[in-house]
Amino acid sequence: MRGDRVSVDALTARAVTAGAAVLTAIAGLGVRAFANGDVAKYAGDALYTVLICALVAVIAPRARPVTKAGTALAFSWAVELLQLTGVPAELSRHSAVARLVLGSTFNAPDLFWYAVGASAAWAAFAGAAAVAPATSPVRPRSWPDSCEACPSGHS
């Protein structure tokens, strides 16, 4: 019975995180559509990394917040540095999706704004992890399999 409860909670966590990813994508597209200049560009950069972090969390929900944020930051930086090759620019000429995912032109300040997004995502996941044990029946991996040490007190 306990295994069913944990799997339902894991699915719920993934669904909530997937919903957050969708909302982040909408926010990123909205910022680009309704704001101008540097605000739109750099907010979009930060939200890009938040989105990647949310997708990492959907794939690996038990990963630590720092791992989720670090993975998202590394991916974002790798995509930005890939732009130095010209490959994303060529792909962007042929595909709107490639333009949204890969960009086209290297811009060094983007690297900073990706770090801002990763920091915000880390803070959100760390905050959620801090309150989860008090509200979630999901047992952390660090607890032994026997219920004597489990704080829920059940046998």
Side-chain angles (χ1 to χ4, degrees), residues 60-80:
R62 289 185 167 215
R64 295 180 355 186
V66 69
T67 302
K68 294 172 189 173
T71 301
L73 181 59
F75 179 85
S76 299
W77 281 353
V79 168
E80 188 70 26

Side-chain angles (χ1 to χ4, degrees), residues 88-102:
E90 181 61 29
L91 293 171
S92 293
R93 284 189 202 96
H94 303 290
S95 168
V97 173
R99 187 171 45 255
L100 288 171
V101 174
L102 300 175

Side-chain angles (χ1 to χ4, degrees), residues 27 105 130-131 155:
T105 308
V131 298
S155 51

Side-chain angles (χ1 to χ4, degrees), residues 128-139:
V131 298
T135 60
S136 175
V138 176
R139 181 171 52 100

